[in-house]
Amino acid sequence: MSQNVLNYINGNWVGSSSGVVLHSINPANIHERVGTFPDSSEADVDRAVAAAKDAFLQWKALSPISRGQFLHRAADLLEQRVEEIALTATKEMGKTLAETRGEVLRGVAILRYYSQEGSRKEGDVIPSADRRNLLYTQRVPLGVVGVISPWNFPIAIPLWKMAPALIYGNTVVFKPAAETSITAAKIVEVFADAQLPAGVLNLVHGSGTTAGAAIVRHHGVQAITFTGSNQVGKQVAAEAAARGAKFQLEMGGKNPVIVLEDADLELAAELTVSGAMKHTGQKCTATSRCFVHRSVYEPFKQKVLAKVQAIKVGSGLEEGVYMGPLASQKQFEKVISYIEQGKREGAALLYGGKALEEGPYQHGFFVQPTVFENVKNEMVIAQEEIFGPVLCLIKVDSFEEAVEQANATRFGLAASLFTRDLAKALAFVEKIDVGMVKVNGETAGVEPQAAFGGMKDSSSLSREQGQAAVEFFTTLKTVTITPTP
Ligand code: NAD
């Protein structure tokens, strides 16, 4: 059944000013329309920003503990809708139901975590040179925050932005990725049902170039938190900086694993394959380059191959499917063109490499899980973010060579080392230029109570999640009180 969702502005569900709607389709079966959503204009963004601005002073005036009660209620309501929201997300962007269920539960955990953040300290008392003075800092909200999010984690990413924005006293205008608009509306419904005051959270659907860009340009928006591609992130940064708004960017990755001669090869193969292929490779932290010590290359390769051969591709709604379709035609065309590029560059196709177009796959954006070997780190497929289920195997002769090549990319999001050697593990932590470092773990996977973010071109170097979020969503007042005699 097609679901038709609206914008949410000042506590009301409303259409766009033009009345035009766009369609959300199922990438496993493009003939299935999941629903419609408004194609919002700059005028709709203006209304949403005005509502958020009007709501700000009252929301800010609440105690953070009272604000936390709204998040707490939203967490409970979200928990009651796990199946329904997971089903919608799978239909909109294709990953498996197990993956979307896990993501909704992650959303619940994020809301519960931030519902408690309001009871932490709001500043520090600092000694003053003048003994009479009371000198202290106080964290204060920024105002209206624009939240712009991608389709690959349509529940967790908006929530890990909105929850801290709200608990620290900001109001929000949220522009989700068009591909996952119906899911986004359900997330906002949860806040509406939790009786969040009107105007505190506003939802504006539509395209990035119209609704998204209007939020970034808007002088009523004090800060923009963006997750998405590097290309768009750079535009967001330039616009925001030009008008003096605060911005935070989390962008792409080209995440390496290194498998040393003493690694547990079974574990390394399992976590390399899951890091590369789960979510159909559409994670910013997905494993895409695998540097393997020459002495264990053959047995490791055989283990990877066996695991990739066993992957069941299909609709994310089907039981037993490991890998759903790519999320959109754009994604499909991009991934296929990178696979062709890899072949042209002289990488050897070890497995996969084709679109799946017959039988149950004929109406969706399905590709085979793909593994290249004889890859050189300079090749385009080893340097650019493919954002699909494509893994590159690269032989190395030493730990030092592996780390040097792992670092030889413009990205710096996540990396993992497989070894039993503690000294190498510590040297890896020291030398690898990424924000998320793992030893004997998958490159993907973050815990919501810890800081998350990348280095180099993967990020604007600010951090999301955990207590790190306070840095972006607040600023400091420094107060000196001198009593008069
Ligand atoms: P995208 O950059 O195309 O879109 C992201 C969001 O920006 C969407 O809501 C889109 O509508 C909006 N947008 C597009 N053009 C805009 C503009 N000119 N002004 C303002 N907003 C605009 O990215 P995507 O395809 O949705 O997501 C995939 C990308 O996201 C990948 O590069 C991936 O690595 C990255 N990502 C990063 C992280 C991370 O935390 N580092 C997490 C998930 C995804």
Side-chain angles (χ1 to χ4, degrees), residues 15-187:
S16 68
S17 43
S18 69
V20 175
V21 296
L22 301 170
H23 294 271
S24 170
I25 59 153
N26 180 350
N29 174 8
I30 55 170
H31 299 304
E32 183 185 341
R33 286 187 170 173
V34 188
T36 65
F37 57 95
D39 183 11
S40 308
S41 64
E42 194 159 354
D44 300 307
V45 169
D46 277 345
R47 275 182 209 116
V49 175
K53 227 168 146 179
D54 284 351
F56 176 61
L57 288 182
Q58 274 193 345
W59 181 244
K60 176 186 160 192
L62 283 183
S63 83
I65 293 171
S66 309
R67 291 196 292 262
Q69 286 165 4
F70 291 98
L71 298 194
H72 190 76
R73 272 208 293 277
D76 291 347
L77 292 167
L78 184 62
E79 198 168 34
Q80 290 165 20
R81 295 179 65 179
V82 173
E83 277 308 305
E84 175 215 343
I85 295 178
L87 187 67
T88 304
T90 291
K91 283 190 178 177
E92 283 200 291
M93 57 71 67
K95 66 188 177 190
T96 66
L97 262 182
E99 290 168 335
T100 50
R101 275 186 199 121
E103 194 187 336
V104 185
L105 290 170
R106 169 58 59 98
V108 173
I110 290 165
L111 284 169
R112 294 224 163 103
Y113 176 86
Y114 282 109
S115 73
Q116 298 300 312
E117 270 297 283
S119 42
R120 287 190 194 277
K121 70 178 178 125
E122 287 184 306
D124 294 303
V125 178
I126 301 152
S128 164
D130 182 340
R131 202 70 187 89
R132 292 170 308 158
N133 286 350
L134 173 59
L135 173 60
Y136 66 96
T137 55
Q138 188 183 4
R139 292 237 164 236
V140 293
L142 304 171
V144 178
V145 172
V147 168
I148 301 181
S149 59
W151 45 263
N152 67 330
F153 283 97
I155 302 143
I157 291 180
L159 284 173
W160 84 47
K161 292 177 181 299
M162 295 193 295
L166 294 173
I167 193 71
Y168 299 129
N170 303 282
T171 54
V172 168
V173 176
F174 168 35
K175 210 301 283 172
E179 292 83 346
T180 47
S181 299
I182 316 297
T183 307
K186 288 177 188 270
I187 300 297

Side-chain angles (χ1 to χ4, degrees), residues 148-153 157 160 175-179 206-209 211-214 216 226-230 232-233 235-236 250-253 283-284 330-331 334 385 387 413 452 458 464:
I148 301 181
S149 59
W151 45 263
N152 67 330
F153 283 97
I157 291 180
W160 84 47
K175 210 301 283 172
E179 292 83 346
S207 78
T209 44
V216 177
F226 168 88
T227 297
S229 61
N230 283 67
V232 175
Q235 291 171 28
V236 168
E250 286 304 332
M251 300 173 289
K283 281 185 186 176
C284 52
K330 187 172 146 203
Q331 270 294 104
K334 187 173 85 161
E385 185 186 46
F387 222 53
L413 187 49
F452 174 76
S458 290
E464 301 199 274

